[in-house]
Amino acid sequence: MAGTRMADQDELTNQLVREERFFRNDYHDRGMVKWQGYFLSAHTEDVSKYSKKRAINRK
């Protein structure tokens, strides 16, 4: 049982090392570009809902 826990701990340590290496060397945060994409999507959805409600109210 102790060997299994040690193997699990080793795997967790290896995974954390891989993740740290990835974020330090490979990951490039798009920052505002990505955030603006989310904002634009939500805004487009809101405008669509508003337009539909407005069209119904005009009838």
Side-chain angles (χ1 to χ4, degrees):
M1 196 59 125
T4 302
R5 278 189 237 144
M6 184 63 85
D8 290 344
Q9 184 64 37
D10 288 344
E11 179 58 32
L12 178 60
T13 300
N14 289 337
Q15 181 179 351
L16 292 173
V17 168
R18 284 191 308 270
E19 290 172 3
E20 181 183 350
R21 186 179 311 126
F22 170 76
F23 283 108
R24 190 176 344 109
N25 299 321
D26 301 322
Y27 179 74
H28 302 286
D29 184 14
R30 297 182 331 175
M32 286 298 291
V33 172
K34 189 172 184 177
W35 183 86
Q36 288 173 347
Y38 288 135
F39 178 80
L40 179 61
S41 175
H43 177 70
T44 302
E45 183 180 346
D46 289 344
V47 168
S48 176
K49 287 178 184 177
Y50 172 78
S51 297
K52 287 178 185 176
K53 285 181 184 178
R54 189 169 179 206
I56 291 171
N57 290 338
R58 286 183 160 207
K59 291 181 181 181

